Amino acid sequence: MGDSFHDQLLEDSRFLRADQRLDTELVDKLILQLNRIYPQILSDKEATKFRDLDVPTCVRLGELLTHLQEKGEEACKEFYRALHLHVEEVYYSLPTRLRLKDSSDPLKKRAVPGQRYDLNERSPMFFLSCFSLAAGVAMLYYYSESKVSGGSRVVGLAALGLSRQAREVLIWYTEERATK
């Protein structure tokens, strides 16, 4: 991995303190997990201190993170394990997790700040010209068909889904073409 869990927790601490998804209930779950499974990391007395509801959650979380960093590498590792277990979406959005994920994919193209993300290199004019070409072919097909097989009846059928005024105009048009 390169970075130790202690170094990662130092880097992630600011993010964790600011993340609104870590509410009182989730912080309590993390504290209880560390206390019950690893009492050598978080004793009953320490867990009670960090679960004090009179202290704001962000303060309690900050104190917990500082305490875990003082306890060492194993405590930091177990915190990440508890975070992954209880709040997976926060765990995967940590700055160190995102960096590790990006560095583990060598084929992924590196983003340059200010770079534009295009799906392809074509300009909007290309798409406009393609649409115009398709519309022109459709009109050519429609008008050549109407001379041969009375294709203007299709316009009358298309009127079924339109408003009353538009329907009347299209029906008038098809009736007018049929009489000619």
Side-chain angles (χ1 to χ4, degrees), residues 142 145-146 148-160 170-171 173-175 177-178:
Y142 172 75
E145 180 184 315
S146 68
V148 177
S149 64
S152 62
R153 287 186 215 128
V154 174
V155 176
L157 292 175
L160 294 175
L170 282 175
I171 291 173
Y173 175 75
T174 56
E175 289 172 353
R177 298 264 306 180

Side-chain angles (χ1 to χ4, degrees), residues 139-149:
M139 288 178 65
L140 182 64
Y141 176 75
Y142 172 75
Y143 283 112
S144 66
E145 180 184 315
S146 68
K147 292 177 185 169
V148 177
S149 64

